[in-house]
Amino acid sequence: MWKILVYASAHVSLVRTSPQLSDSYTGPLKETFNDITRSLLEECSFCAKVDAVDIVPSLSTKTFLNKYAYTGRPVLVTNDKSFGRSPGFDFEFFKNLSKAKQLKTCQFFRYKTKFKTLDDALNMDQDQATLKPGYTPWYIGWNICDNKTIDIVKERIDIPSFLPENLAFPNSKIWIFIGTPGNGAPMHLDKVKYPSWQTQLSGSKKWTLQSPPKCIFSCRKHFEVTVHAGQLLILDTNIWYHQTKTIGQNISIAVSGEYK
Ligand SMILES: O=C(O)CCC(=O)C(=O)O
Ligand SMILES: [Fe+2]
């Protein structure tokens, strides 16, 4: 059986434009081949027609639901009307929540920093937090999953205007990513339950997206898109490999949630 599989998968790589064995051949090899090809085509259909990340000024709920929400097609929205409700949503805000013991998290990403916990990170040296010359660079992320904290934070969040409220926050989690220029998250694939939106609240961040290696013959491999303050990205982080890097001079702050 393994021989058949090896043989069949070798052929999958060779026949991208004609994914069928000769019509005159029937038998187990053809079935296996067709199964593998069909499942690869299905699994790669989300990226097969993506030439670049779509960039649109705004989205209606209808377009969001029909074209992007569940197709895996990423989109950058540059001028969504939700933006601007949360001017005080910054490092100090989280630092104060942390001091008041109101910031409960389920997951903390320290990335390249040495901070052991989110409280440690938010308690960093003031010069480091405010990017004074000579500061040590940092980039961190975390997930707020405590309902009380979520309610406090939600009041200040810019949920995309086109996202129906009953689809937002299916699992009551909010993600925050903050850091200094030149830093970000390494290339990875997530295992969260749903696709995500992420709003850039300040600074700018370059995203690099990659389609899965198994889609090498169906999809473009590499995409880049820069998200500036006031813009938001819709991305299924479970199917797109992704990496980020803060660019420009300012601290990058972004808030993210899933939708079902
Ligand atoms: O914003 C970032 O730097 C990383 C975000 C990320 O990995 C995610 O939303 O899954
Ligand atoms: Fe991620």
Side-chain angles (χ1 to χ4, degrees):
M1 183 60 186
W2 66 270
K3 273 191 189 156
I4 295 176
L5 282 173
V6 169
Y7 183 71
S9 56
H11 276 258
V12 171
S13 329
L14 290 173
V15 289
R16 180 165 62 106
T17 53
S18 62
Q20 299 289 318
L21 286 178
S22 152
D23 281 347
S24 59
Y25 178 83
T26 53
L29 174 58
K30 181 165 181 175
E31 270 165 37
T32 309
F33 173 82
N34 284 345
D35 284 350
I36 292 174
T37 311
R38 196 177 309 113
S39 88
L40 264 183
L41 285 176
E42 273 167 21
E43 285 173 41
C44 299
S45 63
F46 78 91
C47 53
K49 290 192 182 136
V50 180
D51 300 322
V53 176
D54 286 355
I55 301 180
V56 299
S58 58
L59 269 187
S60 65
T61 297
K62 195 172 163 202
T63 309
F64 168 64
L65 294 176
N66 289 343
K67 188 167 177 188
Y68 297 106
Y70 310 110
T71 58
R73 192 177 180 90
V75 59
L76 170 68
V77 185
T78 57
N79 208 5
D80 185 59
K81 57 177 183 266
S82 67
F83 189 72
R85 287 200 296 124
S86 49
F89 203 78
D90 55 12
F91 187 87
E92 273 312 297
F93 171 70
F94 290 110
K95 186 173 172 155
N96 289 335
L97 279 182
S98 158
K99 267 195 200 152
K101 304 272 175 250
Q102 278 183 314
L103 194 55
K104 297 211 179 90
T105 65
C106 293
Q107 234 181 329
F108 169 61
F109 301 117
R110 67 179 199 174
Y111 296 121
K112 289 185 184 159
T113 69
K114 296 201 169 99
F115 304 120
K116 289 208 174 73
T117 63
L118 175 61
D119 289 331
D120 276 357
L122 292 173
N123 216 6
M124 75 177 78
D125 182 271
Q126 190 67 4
D127 286 357
Q128 191 179 9
T130 53
L131 280 58
K132 288 268 158 57
Y135 72 88
T136 310
W138 53 275
Y139 193 79
I140 54 172
W142 70 91
N143 153 350
I144 306 171
C145 57
D146 159 73
N147 284 338
K148 263 196 204 151
T149 319
I150 285 182
D151 286 344
I152 298 172
V153 173
K154 252 189 192 170
E155 275 170 29
R156 296 171 170 254
I157 277 186
D158 301 309
I159 294 171
S161 67
F162 49 83
L163 177 62
E165 267 189 33
N166 61 329
L167 302 184
F169 303 119
N171 46 13
S172 294
K173 280 182 189 163
I174 294 175
W175 303 81
I176 312 288
F177 296 92
I178 304 190
T180 60
N183 298 279
M187 187 62 80
H188 67 283
L189 194 64
D190 291 316
K191 278 192 187 159
V192 288
K193 197 161 177 194
Y194 301 102
S196 297
W197 55 270
Q198 184 181 115
T199 301
Q200 189 72 25
L201 298 175
S202 71
S204 300
K205 197 157 64 184
K206 187 175 92 181
W207 288 70
T208 304
L209 309 185
Q210 278 181 11
S211 48
K214 68 184 170 199
C215 300
I216 187 164
F217 294 120
S218 311
C219 301
R220 211 185 119 176
K221 184 175 175 210
H222 187 95
F223 301 82
E224 278 181 6
V225 64
T226 298
V227 187
H228 298 287
Q231 306 183 338
L232 71 94
L233 186 66
I234 300 291
L235 181 71
D236 190 336
T237 62
N238 298 302
I239 54 178
W240 288 97
Y241 285 80
H242 52 287
Q243 174 185 339
T244 59
K245 188 171 179 183
T246 299
I247 57 171
Q249 304 303 314
N250 298 323
I251 192 165
S252 165
I253 305 183
V255 59
S256 165
E258 292 163 51
Y259 61 85
K260 70 177 175 196

